[in-house]
Amino acid sequence: MQSLLVDGGRKLNGTVRISGSKNAVLPMLAATVLFKEPCCIRGCPKLTDVDAAIDILKYLGAEIQWYDGDLMVDPRSIRKWDIPDSLTRRMRGSVFFAGALMARFGKCRLVQPGGCPLGKRPINFHVDGLTALGARQDSDDPGVYLGEISGTEIMLPYPSVGATENLILAGVGASGETVIRNAAKEPEIECLCDFLRAGGCCISGDGSEIVRIKGGLPSGADMQMIPDRMEAATFACAAASAGGDVIIEHVNTAHLETVLQVLERAGCRIDRFEHTIRLRSDRLHSPGTIITAPYPGFPTDAQAPMMAALLRAQGTTTIYETVFSDRMHHISAFVEMGAKIELNKNSAYIHGVSELHGGAVTAQDLRGGAAMVIAALAANGTTTIHGLNHIQRGYEDFTLKLCALGAKVQKA
Ligand code: EPU
């Protein structure tokens, strides 16, 4: 298991450029299955979750080529539809292939995918949605769904990001119109729909509660990835935690607004430009209460990085996690480093301390791992963070980018 060694106590200064969005590219990679012609994804981040999606595409029969940071997917040679469980279990994003394969072949294998341990992460909304579209569980193999799908109205019990994306993909291959009500509104969903529209699909309402999809497979598409709002939030929290003066390039500030507002309430000075922000931070105070919620609320993915940034903020900060049932694994690592936190179910009360100290901690999930690095940047002494593999799922060149800002971070 690879680790990171972080020598804390250095302010961050300089410029960091944000990569393409992980959570936008994963459903797009699954979407390529639907296209009749090759697709180009420009600015595709090189991450282990992207490698896992590429391995699924290669297994299905697609041809893949990297041209620097651009990824070409030629789906014309795809013949298989039955993804082995060993590939599905490598990441949560593998679930998107179910909707796409159902749309293209009228059959798919839908089993519990892998992904970060954030509590119960069932796939019942995905299964119920595909069933409403006409898919039926195979009597011989309960992992397999079959049938011709046709458009219908689906009401999601909760605005699930993944279920919205999966059902959009299925809807593209269904006959007639599919309407998804109580859809998630995350920017990654609009990015997926832009990609499908670039291939000629007819989709409207993405980014709102009601998404309408007219059936019809796309031809080819060539699209630039949107910036990763969670990578940007992570670097903003890192600069807030360590202190300093950092320019974060290639961002969509509107996508980051709730995170930036909390950092401003905590005392950071933030200048917003068209695709860039500048963040200056010295001493922080508590921003009050933070409640995670679906977009445009405070993102659950920024909960751990923000908590890390506020460990030394004067006063008490309350954080309620409402999206996932068990996403507070990072707290024990923070306490190990000298933080003072009370946890009551999904509510954390962070009492700011004047100093954190180094130690040895273990990442258990992607954002929790990045948050441990953020805490370590502000700690006295050296911190060893085991479980670098979790961080590499979602952050491209994390160590290099931190070092370019003046942090002392190395792989061990
Ligand atoms: N849920 C169900 N049944 C379902 C689907 C979801 O009960 O069939 C519940 C979940 O258990 C959770 C809530 O609904 O409590 C929200 O889950 P959602 O489906 O919205 O999340 P997801 O699609 O599994 C994506 C991101 C996550 C991000 C969440 C919320 C990808 C690949 N993953 O997950 O990203 O936290 O949306 O914004 O897009 C990360 O990047 O670190 C990450 C975990």
Side-chain angles (χ1 to χ4, degrees):
M1 187 164 61
Q2 257 200 322
S3 307
L4 270 188
L5 285 184
V6 181
D7 269 350
R10 289 176 168 70
K11 291 197 175 208
L12 300 186
N13 283 292
T15 301
V16 60
R17 187 177 166 80
I18 298 305
S19 299
S21 161
K22 166 184 87 84
N23 286 348
V25 84
L26 294 178
M28 284 167 64
L29 287 169
T32 60
V33 165
L34 295 168
F35 283 72
K36 295 181 212 152
E37 300 292 333
C39 305
C40 180
I41 299 176
R42 297 189 187 272
C44 180
K46 288 190 172 142
L47 305 166
T48 54
D49 268 10
V50 168
D51 294 339
I54 289 176
D55 286 347
I56 292 177
L57 283 168
K58 284 184 180 162
Y59 170 84
L60 293 172
E63 281 176 25
I64 308 284
Q65 286 284 338
W66 280 100
Y67 295 97
D68 294 326
D70 302 337
L71 185 76
M72 288 289 296
V73 181
D74 186 345
R76 288 173 298 182
S77 42
I78 291 182
R79 300 282 177 271
K80 290 188 196 149
W81 58 273
D82 190 354
I83 303 171
D85 294 358
S86 55
L87 288 178
T88 305
R89 294 221 170 88
R90 276 173 63 190
M91 61 156 180
R92 178 80 181 176
S94 60
V95 75
F96 304 126
F97 283 90
L101 289 165
M102 197 69 213
R104 173 147 175 202
F105 292 107
K107 47 190 171 184
C108 70
R109 192 169 172 78
L110 181 53
V111 294
Q112 186 65 38
C116 289
L118 312 177
K120 286 192 211 111
R121 297 183 79 181
I123 53 169
N124 53 326
F125 305 157
H126 303 249
V127 172
D128 293 349
L130 287 178
T131 306
L133 289 168
R136 294 280 165 267
Q137 205 169 22
D138 185 5
S139 48
D140 295 331
D141 183 346
V144 171
Y145 288 77
L146 310 159
E148 277 200 14
I149 50 172
S150 50
T152 188
E153 286 216 3
I154 300 164
M155 171 66 115
L156 288 176
Y158 181 90
S160 152
V161 178
T164 302
E165 292 165 336
N166 216 346
L167 296 173
I168 288 171
L169 295 176
V172 164
S175 55
E177 189 182 56
T178 300
V179 180
I180 306 170
R181 293 186 183 274
N182 197 26
K185 300 180 209 153
E186 270 67 2
E188 292 75 20
I189 292 169
E190 288 185 71
C191 184
L192 170 66
C193 293
D194 284 341
F195 183 53
L196 292 164
R197 276 191 290 259
C201 290
C202 190
I203 304 174
S204 59
D206 43 306
S208 79
E209 274 166 31
I210 305 176
V211 183
R212 296 175 190 276
I213 309 114
K214 288 214 175 81
L217 297 184
S219 42
D222 184 329
M223 212 180 91
Q224 181 71 41
M225 285 311 303
I226 58 168
D228 192 309
R229 62 191 171 105
M230 286 314 139
E231 189 195 2
T234 300
F235 276 99
C237 289
S241 171
D245 184 350
V246 168
I247 292 174
I248 307 179
E249 286 182 345
H250 189 229
V251 296
N252 182 326
T253 41
H255 295 171
L256 279 174
E257 205 41 54
T258 46
V259 173
L260 299 183
Q261 283 172 12
V262 171
L263 289 171
E264 282 175 326
R265 283 202 326 256
C268 293
R269 200 167 140 204
I270 300 176
D271 299 312
R272 296 160 175 79
F273 305 97
E274 204 181 343
H275 300 294
T276 302
I277 59 168
R278 178 180 180 191
L279 185 146
R280 280 167 277 184
S281 167
D282 191 6
R283 280 210 62 79
L284 299 184
H285 50 259
S286 162
T289 298
I290 301 168
I291 305 174
T292 67
Y295 192 82
F298 187 90
T300 172
D301 291 344
Q303 180 253 108
M306 185 62 79
M307 190 185 296
L310 297 171
L311 298 174
R312 295 187 309 150
Q314 202 180 15
T316 296
T317 304
T318 302
I319 302 185
Y320 297 114
E321 171 58 55
T322 74
V323 178
F324 287 103
S325 59
D326 193 8
R327 201 176 197 178
M328 295 276 188
H329 301 294
H330 36 280
I331 288 182
S332 52
F334 295 159
V335 170
E336 187 75 32
M337 296 171 72
K340 207 170 151 212
I341 305 176
E342 288 167 71
L343 178 64
N344 181 4
K345 293 191 184 135
N346 284 321
S347 307
Y349 305 92
I350 300 115
H351 307 290
V353 292
S354 53
E355 289 196 345
L356 295 169
H357 54 77
V361 294
T362 302
Q364 294 181 43
D365 63 86
L366 165 62
R367 307 298 168 191
M372 289 172 202
V373 176
I374 292 171
L377 291 170
N380 300 331
T382 303
T383 306
T384 306
I385 298 150
H386 300 295
L388 176 60
N389 56 311
H390 290 289
I391 297 174
Q392 287 168 332
R393 295 174 72 151
Y395 293 94
E396 187 177 48
D397 297 333
F398 196 45
T399 311
L400 281 175
K401 289 183 183 185
L402 284 168
C403 289
L405 293 175
K408 207 166 165 212
V409 181
Q410 58 179 345
K411 292 180 190 168

